[in-house]
Amino acid sequence: MAACTSTSPSSLMLTYASSSVYPQDLTSSIVSFNGKSRFSTIKSFSSCHFLCRPRRSADWICLNFQRRARHHVIVAALAAEANVAEAEAEAEEGVAVGGTDTVAAPKPKKGKAALPLKRDRRRSKRFLEIQKLRENKKEYEIKTAISLLKEMASTKFVETAEAHFRLNIDPKYNDQQLRATVNLPKGTGQTVRVAVLTQGEKFDEAKNAGADLVGGEDLIEQIKGGFMDFDKLIASPDMMPKVASLGKLLGPRGLMPNPKAGTVATNLPQAIAEFKQGKVEYRADKTGIVHLPFGKADFSEEDLLVNLLAAIKSVETNKPTGAKGVYWKSAHICSSMGPSIRLNIREMLDFKLPSTA
């Protein structure tokens, strides 16, 4: 620490006990420092500047300032000297580490990484190519959309044509739930395996109607053991008390017989024939969206159009009583492995098939 002693009212003495300071040791920043431009409290700089005299025990520096500017000038000069040294050290260190102050430009991304949407970066090359065939967020007429759907179905297997309707309903309320069936005039293009649970006289009746599997309590035991080799399970009303024990097994798979789905019927031959010919069950999920297959991609455009209009009419006819406001929010169609095509809802609802003479 420096001991400060003053010999007169107009001078300041700094005494160093352990080292000596000479004029040539002072840097130019302290010698040439002018207090007027930085501090308003300093009125003038003394004309004697620095007086350096040697002493017996230690050297001292006499700085002649006015009384108000004594301490301010010394502190400011030392601080400026420290700031300059620190800035020079940082600059040298930056040059030594980085070499240059300019930041290197990032490398341009290539391939899928350069795509703007994250979901497109996970798509296959085939999907990205067929996606260019349609304009995003554009609403297409129903005939044009079906033509695009067939063009986009480019996989090695026959894809299913799907419809997805977003409705203005909230299925958590009982009066806004939607569950029904639709008979597709041109079929689904799939082979449906139908199993029937019945007893008595109806046993032979179901077999003659074309059911793939007919049984009673023995079939219930097989299902409890894990047998699920069927696509639809139809039951007669008198078997429902026994079928109730299968709820935990059949419910999650969507195979539980239900009157709304047409799988609990007294007229078994008619129910079997409808599901064999293309009867489809649908329901709204918890977000109010209906997912519905309406054929295969190898169907003709006319057949797909007929099936799609039948599905639209069924969803419109079974509108829940609690649905308020605009019922249809959006409608899309697509193939199993293709991008979706948005439909013009007004044109879709008003479209009518041309009458054949």
Side-chain angles (χ1 to χ4, degrees), residues 239-256:
M239 291 293 294
M240 287 306 295
K242 300 177 181 179
V243 177
S245 60
L246 302 175
K248 292 183 179 180
L249 294 173
L250 300 177
R253 294 176 172 84
L255 296 173
M256 187 68 182

Side-chain angles (χ1 to χ4, degrees), residues 56-243:
R56 295 178 183 178
S57 60
D59 294 333
W60 55 274
I61 304 173
C62 179
L63 305 174
N64 190 12
F65 300 100
Q66 289 189 359
R67 292 181 180 179
R68 292 183 181 180
R70 292 175 186 173
H71 304 288
H72 298 289
V73 172
I74 295 175
V75 172
L78 295 176
E81 177 71 14
N83 290 339
V84 171
E86 186 176 352
E88 291 178 354
E90 290 179 355
E92 292 178 0
E93 184 177 354
V95 172
V97 174
T100 57
D101 295 338
T102 59
V103 179
K107 295 182 179 179
K109 296 180 180 180
K110 299 180 181 179
K112 292 184 179 180
L115 297 174
L117 298 178
K118 288 185 177 180
R119 63 173 180 264
D120 288 342
R121 299 172 191 171
R122 302 177 182 177
R123 304 289 191 184
S124 63
K125 292 182 180 179
R126 182 199 65 85
F127 188 95
L128 295 176
E129 286 297 325
I130 62 176
Q131 189 173 232
K132 299 176 183 177
L133 299 176
R134 62 105 165 106
E135 296 182 23
N136 193 21
K137 297 184 179 180
K138 179 182 177 180
E139 295 183 348
Y140 288 89
E141 295 182 355
I142 191 168
K143 279 190 172 183
T144 308
I146 290 177
S147 300
L148 281 174
L149 183 147
K150 289 181 64 65
E151 188 178 355
M152 291 179 179
S154 59
T155 56
K156 296 180 180 179
F157 62 93
V158 180
E159 301 181 42
T160 301
E162 303 174 359
H164 306 274
F165 306 131
R166 185 166 176 255
L167 308 176
N168 187 22
I169 58 175
D170 191 353
K172 71 179 181 180
Y173 300 105
N174 292 331
D175 59 348
Q176 296 188 38
Q177 293 180 356
L178 176 61
R179 183 173 183 177
T181 58
V182 56
N183 291 318
L184 299 178
K186 302 300 180 180
T188 59
Q190 298 176 346
T191 302
V192 181
R193 294 168 296 178
V194 178
V196 179
L197 285 172
T198 187
Q199 59 187 357
E201 298 178 355
K202 294 184 178 180
F203 195 90
D204 294 333
E205 187 179 349
K207 274 189 174 182
N208 297 330
D212 298 289
L213 187 62
V214 183
E217 295 183 0
D218 56 338
L219 182 56
I220 292 176
E221 294 298 326
Q222 290 181 21
I223 294 174
K224 287 182 179 179
F227 178 78
M228 293 288 175
D229 194 16
F230 51 85
D231 300 316
K232 290 291 178 182
L233 179 63
I234 300 174
S236 57
D238 57 345
M239 291 293 294
M240 287 306 295
K242 300 177 181 179
V243 177

